[in-house]
Each structure stands twice: as C-alpha cells, then as structure tokens.
Amino acid sequence: MAQNPTSGYVSTTRPGWIVYWVTFGLMAFSAVCFMAITLTKPQRHRKHGYCTALIVTIAAVAYYAMASEGGSTYIYATHGANMRQIYWARYVDWAFTTPLLLLDLLLLAACPIGTAMWIIAADVFMIILGLFGGVNTHKFKWGYYAMGCFCELIISIGLVFNAMRSAMARGGGISKVYAGMAAYLTILWWGYPIVWGLAEGANVISSDAEVAAYAGLDIAAKVFFGWMIMAAGPIITAQQDREYKEGKGYPSILDASIDSPLSITQTQPIANPAAQATRGLPAMEPGANGTAGGAPAETGTLQTVV
C-alpha cells in the first residue's frame, strides 16, 4: 500500500493531486458547455440543461476543494496500523449531485412525485450512511456499509421498475432514452460501494488509487452522463412539444404522472398572447370572439397537466 513518505499515513500524493486537478478542469469545462447549450434553447426546454449544468458545477467546486488540499481529515484505519485520509468534501458533493442526477432521470420519465421522493430519499440516506461509515474507526462501519448498499438497491429498483413504467407511458423516443440512461447510471453507481469497501472500508488500496477510482466514476456519472442528456435534447424537445399539442402540458415530477388516474386536463385562458410568447410557449391564435385568449392551433385554450 502506497503511503505518504514524509508521514507514514495513507494519504494523497502527487499523482492523486494531478487527478484532482484534471477532474476539476473537466467538471468546470463541462459546466460552461452545458450552460451555454442550455441558454440557446427556449425557456420551456431548459430544465434538463439547468439540472445537468448544476451537477457538474457543484462537482467542480468539490474537486477544487480537494485539489487544493482541503476537505479531508485523518482517521485511524480499522484494518492496518496506519491513519487514513478521508475526504468529507466528496460526500458533500454527492449529497447534492446524486439527488440532482436522479432528478434529471425522473424528470425524463415524468415520474409521479411520490415515487421520486422515496427514490431521492433513499439516495440521501445512502450518502449519509457512507459518510458515517467512512469516518467510523470501528468494525461497526460495515453496518453502515450494509445499510448503504440496501439503500442503493432501493434506488436501483425504483429506476429500473417504478420510474420505467412512467417513461414507457410517455412513449415515443423518451422511453428508449430513459431505459438506456437509467441502465447506465444504475450499473455505474454500483462501482462506488466497491471502491468504498476497498478504501474507506478495508483500507487495502492507496489513497491515490482511491482518488483515481472515485474520479473515474464521477467523470462517468456526471460528465459523460451530462453529455448524454445534451445529446438526447432533440428527442426530449420533440416529445415535450408533442405532449403539449396533445394537451398534456410539459410533464414533470411536479405534476401528476401522465399515466396516473389523478391526471386531469385543465383549461386556462391566456389573456395576453405577447406574454405567452415571452414565456417561450408556442404562439397563440385569437379566440373565436376576436380577443386574445387562444391556444395552440384549434382549441382556443391552453391545456396543462395538474
């Protein structure tokens, strides 16, 4: 096991710092790109872009903190006679970015808010349990590890089965996009407990190896995943516009699920077509009585899902 030659502690050395700086650069560059792409779209099509840009922005800040030799502490390793460097900044990053990653997927699926809440809650518990286990200096850390893995199993079931049903209900290209991205993220996330078990858990790999492994997973889960979302933009946009024309609004987890029996169509008059255009929605036609209050095409009203 590689150790810091000046202290004898299991801590990050030059290769690890290089990985941190490179990862920070990738996150920051991606944040700028994602935001630039997002701002070229109408307001109604920006929610995935904003979410994706925020994910890599938070990650960039966390990696800057770790690259600048901050955001860590030392604990007595449960296995072995050394003290090990633990990066709590990594868990702060995950506490914000992993719920946002899930939100990105659940928005894509137009998942019911109740389902989204328990999936995201399981994720938050998983991160907290990982932190508690990481800083624990006793064998009880494996209890936290087991509970964290159980939470990840709940997340996997939610993404692969529950949210998948909502995505399939949307139809079109969305179901295929969601299926591929959900499978990608679900499989990828199981790499994190493997690294945790070897690093914070069993203390059998060096700190530099831990840094490289987590950085690789983060780049795949945030940067690559983000570019996948950006690449799927035309499909997502076409699906949203089609649903809008069908009177389903622009569905999200903040609405009732589009396949839920609670979903109803509500008619709302539009008083000012100019204001409607400002909000980035399709242009409205005048109502039958000549007043402004029309809606896309033939209906004369704006329909939204509530």
Side-chain angles (χ1 to χ4, degrees), residues 8-274:
Y9 291 1
V10 180
S11 59
T12 306
T13 60
R14 181 177 176 79
W17 302 126
I18 293 174
V19 171
Y20 273 140
W21 283 115
V22 170
T23 307
F24 160 72
L26 287 173
M27 296 291 182
F29 175 75
S30 297
V32 173
C33 291
F34 294 162
M35 185 56 69
I37 294 171
T38 299
L39 293 177
T40 65
K41 300 179 179 181
Q43 186 68 39
R44 68 183 183 275
H45 295 314
R46 293 182 181 180
K47 60 186 178 184
H48 288 287
Y50 285 146
C51 188
T52 306
L54 183 57
I55 289 168
V56 288
T57 299
I58 295 171
V61 173
Y63 269 92
Y64 181 84
M66 293 184 286
S68 57
E69 304 186 30
S72 69
T73 188
Y74 285 89
I75 66 164
Y76 286 103
T78 305
H79 303 278
N82 300 302
M83 293 189 71
R84 186 176 186 92
Q85 189 174 19
I86 300 294
Y87 286 92
W88 52 263
R90 180 178 290 129
Y91 293 91
V92 174
D93 168 6
W94 293 338
F96 288 97
T97 56
T98 56
L100 287 171
L101 282 165
L102 291 174
L103 180 62
D104 232 354
L105 273 179
L106 298 173
L107 284 171
L108 191 62
C111 191
I113 191 169
T115 302
M117 287 178 64
W118 65 256
I119 292 175
I120 293 176
D123 172 68
V124 173
F125 276 113
M126 178 180 69
I127 302 304
I128 293 173
L129 290 166
L131 175 60
F132 286 174
V135 299
N136 190 283
T137 59
H138 304 286
K139 60 183 179 180
F140 300 110
K141 66 168 55 205
W142 294 107
Y144 291 114
Y145 178 79
M147 289 185 284
C149 288
F150 178 72
C151 288
E152 181 152 5
L153 180 61
I154 292 175
I155 297 168
S156 299
I157 292 172
L159 293 179
V160 174
F161 295 101
N162 300 76
M164 182 69 76
R165 284 195 291 270
S166 296
M168 295 298 291
R170 290 190 73 180
I174 288 292
S175 57
K176 293 181 180 179
V177 171
Y178 175 83
M181 299 190 73
Y184 172 79
L185 199 65
T186 299
I187 295 171
L188 183 67
W189 272 19
W190 280 104
Y192 286 92
I194 294 174
V195 177
W196 193 100
L198 297 174
E200 291 101 317
N203 190 35
V204 296
I205 62 174
S206 69
S207 183
D208 290 340
E210 172 193 342
V211 169
Y214 278 136
L217 288 169
D218 281 344
I219 291 170
K222 297 178 175 72
V223 176
F224 290 174
F225 180 87
W227 284 110
M228 290 167 66
I229 285 284
M230 294 294 108
I235 298 175
I236 297 171
T237 297
Q239 181 77 7
Q240 289 174 332
D241 288 339
R242 182 180 67 81
E243 290 167 346
Y244 181 83
K245 291 177 181 178
E246 293 174 356
K248 297 177 181 177
Y250 294 108
S252 73
I253 62 170
L254 300 180
D255 302 317
S257 171
I258 60 175
D259 61 334
S260 167
L262 298 179
S263 297
I264 61 174
T265 299
Q266 184 180 59
T267 300
Q268 300 176 351
I270 303 301
N272 187 344

